[in-house]
Amino acid sequence: MKTTVDYLKFRTRSNPFDVLEALRPGFGSASDLVELGEPVKGKDGWEHRRQLKMAGDLTIGAIDYGGESQREWVRVDIPGSGCEWVQDWNAVAGIVSVLNEATLKRVDIALTTFDGSVTHDGVIEAHEALQFGSGGRHPHRRVVTSSDARAGRTVYVGSREGAKFLRAYEKGLEMLQKHVPCSVRSMVNQMEFNGHGLAKVEDVYRVEVEFKDADGKVMPWPMLVERDSYFAGAYPFCAGLLPGAPERRVQGMPDFGAKVELLAQLEHARRAYGRI
């Protein structure tokens, strides 16, 4: 896979300790280092929250639970910094068959390029060429810039409240702002990026598609594994970035909830035990 998962949110009616045990295999060699923090006050109407911790002090996610209005649902949030620790997305996708009523709520899939092949101006040109249409009205774009040329520019396409939302930004310049003191930024032209070695700061660019279960969409758990295909299927622009990937799209809600569950289970079985 050329893409990565940059955010994961799901809910389940299993308890937080069962969630922890179901997630452990996904962290591979670091699985024994993942644990739950002490309960604190929850957010967004949940009564309690426990941090997902790595090696006792690094927060990689959070689990919210409790509260009458939540009807026994448990919410799990793992941001990009936590997703980076996942070693086996097949194992994470498999929790749909382990936890009670596990349902994806949000998945961000990102493609990062390091060779200058994707640029801010290129995204703008693609939008003007109507390469973000997926049926219906072409989505609007919003551009964020700065008077500081090295602060980085961002393009947003679509509505944050919709089932699909795109962010494209100068990732190298963002990392420069985060990790290099202001006094020396003007002198830094290259940075070390994990797994990619040195790269020119201006050449590092990221395109993220945020998928949510809005507008009747049902996100299948295998999308965590078949990331390239769902990224390519999001917009014609994204398909052009991964020309070899078969395009898959998140579908709408079928008529019966049981059918959703059955299709999810069958898709997981197909990937895990296909030849058998």
Side-chain angles (χ1 to χ4, degrees):
M1 293 292 107
K2 295 182 179 179
T3 57
T4 58
V5 177
D6 198 54
Y7 198 102
L8 173 64
K9 177 188 289 187
F10 67 91
R11 70 176 185 174
T12 175
R13 283 197 165 106
S14 294
N15 67 64
F17 298 98
D18 287 341
V19 172
L20 173 64
E21 293 308 313
L23 283 172
R24 280 190 191 279
F27 293 95
S29 59
S31 61
D32 290 340
L33 301 178
V34 183
E35 57 190 35
L36 290 178
E38 293 299 317
V40 297
K41 183 175 176 56
K43 295 185 178 182
D44 304 324
W46 268 270
E47 187 174 354
H48 304 293
R49 162 171 284 211
R50 287 177 180 261
Q51 303 285 355
L52 273 172
K53 296 283 191 176
M54 177 67 71
D57 58 356
L58 178 65
T59 299
I60 61 172
I63 300 178
D64 293 294
Y65 60 98
E68 290 186 10
S69 64
Q70 304 303 337
R71 298 175 297 163
E72 300 183 348
W73 285 110
V74 172
R75 182 180 70 178
V76 182
D77 268 298
I78 304 179
S81 56
C83 291
E84 290 177 355
W85 286 91
V86 175
Q87 299 177 23
D88 185 353
W89 283 105
N90 275 296
V92 177
I95 68 176
V96 66
S97 60
V98 177
L99 298 178
N100 295 328
E101 300 180 60
T103 307
L104 287 174
K105 303 294 289 180
R106 173 182 166 186
V107 176
D108 292 9
I109 300 178
L111 175 69
T112 307
T113 56
F114 298 85
D115 58 0
S117 58
V118 185
T119 66
H120 173 82
D121 292 337
V123 176
I124 298 295
E125 291 171 4
H127 185 270
E128 292 177 347
L130 304 181
Q131 292 185 30
F132 290 91
S134 54
R137 181 182 301 175
H138 195 259
H140 295 291
R141 76 167 185 259
R142 181 167 64 91
V143 179
V144 178
T145 61
S146 170
S147 58
D148 179 358
R150 304 204 87 198
R153 297 167 292 180
T154 302
V155 182
Y156 298 101
V157 177
S159 168
R160 188 69 187 271
E161 287 70 41
K164 197 168 53 177
F165 178 67
L166 181 136
R167 286 181 298 274
Y169 57 98
E170 294 172 309
K171 179 68 175 178
L173 293 176
E174 181 205 52
M175 298 296 288
L176 183 73
Q177 295 287 320
K178 283 185 176 180
H179 301 294
V180 178
C182 182
S183 59
V184 297
R185 283 176 195 159
S186 62
M187 297 181 286
V188 177
N189 295 313
Q190 292 183 318
M191 289 180 64
E192 179 81 21
F193 294 89
N194 290 340
H196 295 274
L198 282 174
K200 187 178 178 181
V201 173
E202 282 80 1
D203 284 349
V204 183
Y205 199 86
R206 175 170 287 187
V207 179
E208 297 175 354
V209 181
E210 178 181 315
F211 297 92
K212 293 194 293 297
D213 66 337
D215 304 329
K217 300 297 184 183
V218 179
M219 294 184 293
W221 284 86
M223 73 185 299
L224 299 177
V225 180
E226 300 176 2
R227 300 181 295 276
D228 287 5
S229 293
Y230 282 92
F231 180 89
Y235 305 98
F237 169 73
C238 293
L241 300 180
L242 295 175
E247 298 177 30
R248 293 182 181 270
R249 292 174 178 81
V250 176
Q251 302 297 320
M253 176 74 77
D255 293 336
F256 301 100
K259 186 176 180 181
V260 179
E261 177 73 10
L262 177 61
L263 289 175
Q265 299 281 2
L266 288 175
E267 180 68 6
H268 175 63
R270 181 187 68 81
R271 287 203 54 80
Y273 312 107
R275 293 187 66 183
I276 296 174

